[in-house]
Amino acid sequence: MNKFWLLTFMILSGFQLSQAQAGLYLEPFVTSIIQGNLRNSDPTLTTTLRDGEASGVQYGGRLGWAFANGALTLGGEYETGTLEREWDETTLTDGEMTTKNTGGFFRMGFNNFAFYATYIFDAEHDLDFNKQVFTGDGFKLGFAVALFRHVQLLFEYESIEYDEVENNSVVGDAYNESSLISAGLSFPF
């Protein structure tokens, strides 16, 4: 519940900053994973960490309010995608996972580039082959360069820690982490 109030505060506090032109901000995006690292440190499986890799495409959008002629933007973000995961050790199962991330973002825009910071308060990945659902939270940092008026080249780093797993309606502790570096396009309006 604290995450909800933090996001609400971030959005509402921005309304006080607006003395210049302000307006609705919409930004769909699509990214491809350049480098994806997975880590499983479940103490019931082994005493050592298990590493793996992820690849795939994620897409989503940002919706918020732009202040000071677009120099500052606050709002919400949602992204989803299907990733292929491959573990370095054979004792863990490779396969597809579906990701869904929801968070609040902060954007600082300049003439031809922008910086992003997102707090992901609801991260989820579903393992399609065994119906396990992992949940957690994390953050994302991004940098965008304008190619055209409403087209940006986007680079992002995402780090999520999954601390809970649901398997056949039984909830338990999880010990998974992911860190992704991605590149793609965004279309800010």
Side-chain angles (χ1 to χ4, degrees), residues 38-90:
L38 304 172
R39 178 163 281 188
N40 181 317
S41 59
D42 189 340
T44 62
L45 295 176
T46 181
T47 57
T48 62
L49 298 174
R50 297 170 183 241
D51 294 325
E53 296 178 358
S55 61
V57 175
Q58 292 184 307
Y59 55 91
R62 296 180 181 95
L63 178 64
W65 198 256
F67 305 94
N69 296 325
L72 170 66
T73 307
L74 299 173
E77 177 179 323
Y78 178 79
E79 76 175 344
T80 187
T82 301
L83 305 181
E84 286 289 329
R85 69 182 204 159
E86 183 177 315
W87 294 101
D88 294 343
E89 299 182 29
T90 58

Side-chain angles (χ1 to χ4, degrees), residues 117-134:
T118 302
Y119 172 62
I120 301 169
F121 55 78
D122 184 20
E124 179 180 299
H125 80 243
D126 303 340
L127 301 181
D128 297 339
F129 57 89
N130 66 1
K131 305 305 181 204
Q132 288 182 329
V133 178
F134 291 83

